Amino acid sequence: LYSLGEPMCDLEPGTFQAADPNILERLKLCPALTGAQRDALNALLLSGDTAYGVPSSWDLQTLQDLGPLVLALDHTTLSLVGEAAREDFRRSIAASSISQGGSQREQSLLLLRALAAASAAPRPRLKRSSARCESEPVTANNIDDTVPFLSPEELNLCLSSEVLIENLEAVLDQPLTSGALQVLKKKVDEYFPSGIPEEQLRRLGELSRLYTEQEISQWQVTTSATLSALLDPSGGDWDDSQMQQLLSRYLALGGSLSGPLLQEIGGHHLCKLQEEQIQQIPAAAIGTAGQLNISSCSQSKKEQLYGKAREAFASLASTPSLYYCKIRPYLGGAPAEDLKDLANSGVINMDLATFLALNPQELQKLSVTDVKNLLGENLGELKRAEHEAVVLSWVHRQPQRELDCVLNIGLQGGLPQPTGTASSPAATTSMGTVTSPVPTTPASVTSSVTSPAPPTPP
């Protein structure tokens, strides 16, 4: 027995007809169906004894309602669906596949091919042994109607390099498998045997992500426009090693990293640059780069970037709240002296995440009052982080009396007050520095004194 909503992924195919009426909805939850289960599913749908009715009555909405089960439909079932419904569904799949990831796009392409095979007038299939295109050659006018339905082998034979280069963006807009993308890359490389011209690099899109570090090291990336086009996120993610090589090539050819480019690169990839490359970044670029997350940078790189940010935002120092807002992402590289100045500049209200990301060695140099002024209204949050290593280390260095009196948030583990000084106000300074207590006069001496000594003149 199956409870409501439980998938029937292990149900025997022979029992599909007699199963729960909601079996199709439950089968949608299964990650995959066996071949026998797919056959049983198609038989059930062909019978018309489901909420979807007979396949000949299906429209676009019905096909969409089938959800993942549509991938299990065989040629017989699909061929019974009206041609108009199949065409509408094909167009909706092709449109949505543009923004899909790799595995989803592969499934969409399989479905598109199944729909094409079920058409009343299917395209002639290419004989695998043939060395020439026996299907319809790809032209500028039929890209949408041909490219999605060609296997990598067919694409190689039916799409000329000339048509590809002239219509590269249109071809790349189609749902393409990884195998098809490799075919396109090979054609581009063959068309430009001496190297891809810079104006063509800007058009590569997701093809650019297929190139190795060695190949990227030969690219002519000399302008910010070319680098920006290659960084366009619509082309997919770059591997760290590819991105580092791309940026290194651009800088080696005399390129400069502007604020907008830094924003496109992102803090993560920025941190992968070598220190001498970071040194080439103009301070003004940091000033226009927006909020960069440099948490993955090494401490030395954080310090480099902080120095550039400090220079970029120096003119805002007279407005502490605005200055802090701009400098905050880079404070992980700030020295204690600058943090103290920031604490004394006004109401900062540093958030806990920024505080915990400060250079641990520099944080240890901050006094209790410094920390209170930095955190401001967020001081209470420090209690939640009392077991963080950097907070524990800082607490152990502070006088417990100051932690109690200045912070008053319940932090424990500070330096204890020296024994015998509790009743002597002179025993501690305002910063908790211990001084030697005045020795007590012995009783035998006290008894011989008949009058107090005169006060010492000022």
Side-chain angles (χ1 to χ4, degrees), residues 38-368:
R38 288 197 297 272
D39 291 341
L41 170 65
N42 279 277
L44 178 59
L45 291 171
L46 288 171
S47 71
D49 295 331
T50 71
Y52 299 99
V54 294
S56 59
S57 68
W58 292 355
D59 57 13
L60 172 61
Q61 187 60 56
T62 309
L63 290 168
Q64 292 175 335
D65 289 344
L66 282 167
L69 295 183
V70 77
L71 292 169
L73 301 182
D74 60 19
H75 175 81
T76 300
T77 303
L78 281 174
S79 64
L80 294 176
V81 180
E83 184 176 353
R86 286 201 309 267
E87 177 60 18
D88 289 343
F89 191 48
R90 183 195 73 79
R91 292 186 181 279
S92 69
I93 292 297
S96 62
S97 67
I98 295 175
S99 59
Q100 290 176 341
S103 60
Q104 287 182 310
R105 182 172 286 195
E106 293 277 355
Q107 289 183 333
S108 294
L109 186 55
L110 290 174
L111 184 55
L112 287 170
R113 287 179 178 167
L115 290 167
S119 297
R123 305 179 192 279
R125 300 300 296 171
L126 179 70
K127 297 178 181 180
R128 292 188 176 274
S129 59
S130 175
R132 60 188 179 87
C133 178
E134 295 189 3
S135 182
E136 182 179 0
V138 179
T139 67
N141 297 323
N142 67 5
I143 290 174
D144 292 348
D145 297 324
T146 55
V147 171
F149 309 105
L150 298 176
S151 68
E153 181 183 4
E154 291 172 315
L155 190 64
N156 184 44
L157 296 174
C158 297
L159 173 63
S160 69
S161 297
E162 290 76 12
V163 171
L164 172 62
I165 298 304
E166 291 175 3
N167 303 275
L168 185 57
E169 292 84 359
V171 173
L172 291 177
D173 276 344
Q174 307 305 312
L176 300 166
T177 65
S178 57
L181 287 171
Q182 289 292 346
V183 168
L184 299 183
K185 175 183 180 297
K186 180 181 178 183
K187 286 183 174 294
V188 170
D189 292 341
E190 290 175 345
Y191 193 83
F192 300 111
S194 299
I196 304 174
E198 183 163 10
E199 63 271 15
Q200 299 298 332
L201 289 174
R202 304 173 191 174
R203 306 175 61 209
L204 288 181
E206 62 182 319
L207 277 186
S208 62
R209 277 59 168 177
L210 302 182
Y211 285 80
T212 66
E213 295 174 53
Q214 178 59 35
E215 290 172 319
I216 293 173
S217 70
Q218 304 301 313
W219 284 356
Q220 293 300 307
V221 187
T222 65
T223 68
S224 59
T226 302
L227 180 59
S228 181
L230 289 167
L231 293 175
D232 191 323
S234 65
D237 295 328
W238 287 96
D239 290 340
D240 287 346
S241 57
Q242 289 177 308
M243 176 67 85
Q244 186 173 1
Q245 182 60 66
L246 176 61
L247 298 179
S248 296
R249 179 62 173 166
Y250 172 69
L251 293 172
L253 293 175
S256 178
L257 295 177
S258 63
L261 282 176
L262 291 178
Q263 188 64 38
E264 291 182 78
I265 292 167
H268 172 75
H269 289 300
L270 182 61
C271 290
K272 297 295 182 180
L273 290 178
Q274 299 174 3
E275 291 186 17
E276 53 267 28
Q277 293 173 324
I278 291 179
Q279 194 59 42
Q280 296 180 43
I281 300 174
I286 296 293
T288 57
Q291 300 286 310
L292 293 177
N293 182 354
I294 63 169
S295 59
S296 62
C297 284
S298 66
Q299 186 57 50
S300 59
K301 291 177 182 177
K302 288 179 181 178
E303 291 168 6
Q304 277 186 294
L305 291 169
Y306 170 76
K308 293 181 177 296
R310 189 174 186 271
E311 180 182 346
F313 304 125
S315 62
L316 303 176
S318 59
T319 310
S321 58
L322 181 56
Y323 177 74
Y324 170 71
C325 180
K326 297 291 187 180
I327 201 75
R328 184 184 59 80
Y330 307 96
L331 288 176
E337 291 78 7
D338 287 7
L339 295 173
K340 288 176 178 289
D341 289 342
L342 196 61
N344 295 326
S345 65
V347 180
I348 297 302
N349 297 324
M350 179 180 288
D351 59 279
L352 184 63
T354 299
F355 179 79
L356 295 178
L358 297 176
N359 184 344
Q361 294 183 351
E362 300 302 308
L363 189 150
Q364 304 307 314
K365 301 174 185 179
L366 301 181
S367 70
V368 174

Side-chain angles (χ1 to χ4, degrees), residues 8-17 23 27 32-44 72 74:
M8 296 182 172
C9 307
D10 298 325
L11 192 64
E12 288 296 325
T15 63
F16 275 24
Q17 293 281 357
I23 183 176
L27 287 174
L33 298 178
T34 65
Q37 286 177 324
R38 288 197 297 272
D39 291 341
L41 170 65
N42 279 277
L44 178 59
D74 60 19

